[in-house]
Amino acid sequence: MMNSIWKKRVSHHQKKMLRYLKYVLNDHFVIVCLFLLGALGYSYSEFLKTISTDFIYGRMIAVILFTGLLFIGKLATLLQPADAVFLLPKEKSLKDYLSLAKWHSFLLPASVIILGVGVLMPLLVATASFAFTDMLYFVVYLLIMKDCEFKVQHFEFKLASTAKRKEIRFAFLLSALIGNFVMLYFSLLAGIFFAVIVYVIWHQYEKRFLPAHSYQWQAMINAEMGRMQRIFQFINLFTDIPVLKTTVKRRQYLDGLLKRIKIEHRRTFLYLYSRAFLRGTEYSGLFVRLSLLAIVLVLFVESFVLSLLLALLFLYLTGFQLLPLYFHFDNMAMSVLYPVDQKQKIKAMKEILLILLLTESCGIGLASLHALPLMASLSVFFSLVLFSVLFSHFYLPDRIKKMGKTRRY
């Protein structure tokens, strides 16, 4: 029974993700990513030419990145709120269900681990006594440790105490750091042997203590809902997600910005969109996160081409994330009954989008001053300003028309 439930759910989940994937992998985004990966690859190769075996930070960088790779990928249980009631009698069979979920969830982190190790190997070869053939040892070690991390997640499902969850999470983090140091500073075989020992310990611990505890259904369901929420937040950068849950915050300290908008008939939608942006985490949260991430990346990039591509990519993503704001009030009857020309909607959207893109451009331009010469930084800034104008005044109306045709009410 549990196996058939899992198969139906994973089939439904895959169909839904594939339906959204066509919006994520649109032509514009793929082209931008190809150029970005090319620029990053070129900068990485140029960086490797400037370092030698005297570069002592190569192994330390690998320790940090290997640790980060182990925490990529959550256990996709695909549980639903109603399961706390209807699947409770089948709790003893839930272990088989979660076993299938683990192998399904293993695909993404395994791919990321192989890719991450492949990217890091040239640095280890250039700065340490490793060969490219050692990549196999690193991959095997990380896959074993990732399996242990999934066991930790499984064990957390049976712990009611948040403090206990933090304890076993910290214990795994400590063991991962020790294993990474053994792998990179002592011996490859010793590192794999250490990973096997850690796996056996966690397996015995799980086998001994799990049967004595019951699953915390609400915690599992909340974890799965949080995982899906993060996925939908990413997809929402490219298209509107009807099931995405958002929250609204008062944010009284931002009232001064709203007061700057004159109370005029023609500015009705500008005020509404500004209010929705400032008080809705769906838009402002993504805008702040993307802006900060772009600023941090540009802050440390010394290549003009790479800085420009990164800045344009994040500005493009920011514009995309704000496009659903145009439809924010479409399901409210009052917005249709207002004696306001509907053409004001697109004008208001152009204005607020331009202001936000220019704000992000200013932040990126200031950050580029840290790593680039003055003229190069000014070139990045003016390129971003030009992109903001073109995006908001030319690309926006065309994209809104296409979204309006495919939008479901």
Side-chain angles (χ1 to χ4, degrees):
M1 175 184 175
M2 299 301 287
N3 288 359
S4 62
I5 292 176
W6 167 257
K7 290 178 181 179
K8 290 179 180 178
R9 289 189 176 180
V10 76
S11 176
H12 175 72
H13 176 74
Q14 289 174 345
K15 288 179 181 178
K16 182 165 62 176
M17 290 298 104
L18 287 173
R19 189 168 67 248
Y20 286 128
L21 193 62
K22 66 180 181 181
Y23 297 108
V24 176
L25 299 178
N26 59 77
D27 295 340
H28 303 84
F29 183 68
V30 170
I31 292 173
V32 171
C33 285
L34 288 175
F35 277 104
L36 179 61
L37 289 174
L40 286 172
Y42 175 77
S43 299
Y44 185 42
S45 64
E46 291 298 312
F47 169 72
L48 291 176
K49 293 177 183 178
T50 63
I51 61 176
S52 61
T53 53
D54 298 331
F55 186 72
I56 61 175
Y57 299 107
R59 295 175 192 257
M60 186 58 65
I61 292 173
V63 169
I64 295 173
L65 290 181
F66 283 174
T67 304
L69 287 175
L70 291 176
F71 289 92
I72 292 177
K74 296 296 182 181
L75 193 58
T77 61
L78 303 182
L79 292 174
Q80 301 173 7
D83 292 340
V85 176
F86 294 104
L87 292 185
L88 185 60
K90 292 290 183 179
E91 182 170 334
K92 291 184 179 179
S93 304
L94 191 61
K95 185 177 179 181
D96 297 332
Y97 177 93
L98 293 176
S99 178
L100 294 173
K102 186 188 77 169
W103 291 116
H104 171 76
S105 306
F106 211 91
L107 295 175
L108 175 62
S111 303
V112 174
I113 284 172
I114 295 173
L115 180 62
V117 174
V119 170
L120 198 60
M121 280 309 299
L123 178 64
L124 292 175
V125 171
T127 60
S129 56
F130 292 108
F132 282 104
T133 53
D134 295 333
M135 176 179 172
L136 179 63
Y137 293 98
F138 288 118
V139 170
V140 171
Y141 161 78
L142 289 173
L143 290 179
I144 296 174
M145 292 298 290
K146 183 59 189 178
D147 199 339
C148 295
E149 199 272 337
F150 274 133
K151 288 183 177 294
V152 171
Q153 291 188 45
H154 185 194
F155 193 77
E156 286 178 343
F157 289 157
K158 287 203 169 188
L159 294 177
S161 172
T162 304
K164 289 291 185 181
R165 291 186 193 135
K166 291 181 179 179
E167 285 180 9
I168 67 167
R169 178 64 56 176
F170 178 77
F172 175 78
L173 174 62
L174 188 61
S175 62
L177 287 172
I178 294 173
N180 292 342
F181 273 103
V182 172
M183 191 78 177
L184 289 160
Y185 284 92
F186 293 97
S187 168
L188 295 173
L189 292 177
I192 294 178
F193 182 69
F194 178 86
V196 172
I197 292 176
V198 172
Y199 179 86
V200 172
I201 292 173
W202 277 109
H203 181 72
Q204 292 299 320
Y205 189 67
E206 182 183 45
K207 187 177 179 180
R208 181 179 177 183
F209 289 99
L210 275 184
H213 295 79
S214 299
Y215 284 106
Q216 303 299 311
W217 284 89
Q218 197 57 51
M220 289 192 298
I221 292 170
N222 290 340
E224 177 61 17
M225 291 177 66
R227 188 188 72 87
M228 291 303 301
Q229 184 80 356
R230 290 188 291 272
I231 293 175
F232 287 143
Q233 284 176 344
F234 172 74
I235 298 174
N236 194 56
L237 296 173
F238 307 91
T239 186
D240 189 23
I241 304 294
V243 298
L244 185 64
K245 295 182 179 179
T246 60
T247 57
V248 177
K249 296 184 178 181
R250 175 65 179 87
R251 292 174 178 165
Q252 189 174 358
Y253 55 89
L254 295 176
D255 285 350
L257 296 176
L258 290 176
K259 291 179 181 179
R260 292 179 176 272
I261 302 175
K262 294 182 179 180
I263 307 300
E264 297 178 353
H265 185 77
R266 61 186 182 87
R267 290 182 173 267
T268 300
F269 277 103
L270 178 61
Y271 179 84
L272 290 174
Y273 285 148
S274 300
R275 189 182 181 91
F277 173 81
L278 292 176
R279 296 183 178 175
T281 56
E282 177 184 4
Y283 307 108
S284 58
L286 288 172
F287 173 77
V288 171
R289 286 193 294 269
L290 278 178
S291 298
L292 289 177
L293 184 57
I295 290 172
V296 170
L297 289 175
V298 172
L299 198 62
F300 299 102
V301 174
E302 298 181 354
S303 169
F304 168 73
V305 176
L306 183 57
S307 294
L308 181 60
L309 287 176
L310 279 172
L312 290 174
L313 174 62
F314 278 94
L315 210 62
Y316 172 80
L317 292 177
T318 301
F320 248 95
Q321 76 162 10
L322 295 176
L323 291 179
L325 180 60
Y326 177 84
F327 303 99
H328 187 77
F329 297 99
D330 282 8
N331 292 329
M332 294 178 61
M334 292 303 298
S335 66
V336 181
L337 296 176
Y338 286 149
V340 178
D341 189 352
Q342 291 296 303
K343 292 182 180 178
Q344 289 188 19
K345 289 179 63 178
I346 195 68
K347 292 180 180 178
M349 191 63 196
K350 286 181 181 179
E351 186 172 348
I352 189 173
L353 184 62
L354 180 60
I355 292 173
L356 292 171
L357 292 182
L358 290 177
T359 301
E360 184 176 353
S361 300
C362 290
I364 295 174
L366 291 174
S368 65
L369 286 172
H370 179 266
L372 298 177
L374 178 60
M375 292 305 298
S377 181
L378 288 175
S379 298
V380 170
F381 173 70
F382 286 116
S383 298
L384 296 180
V385 171
L386 178 61
F387 178 86
S388 301
V389 174
L390 294 176
F391 188 96
S392 58
H393 283 82
F394 296 98
Y395 182 79
L396 171 66
D398 182 63
R399 187 66 184 179
I400 290 296
K401 288 181 181 179
K402 292 181 180 179
M403 292 174 67
K405 293 178 181 178
T406 58
R407 185 176 173 83
R408 295 179 180 178
Y409 295 94

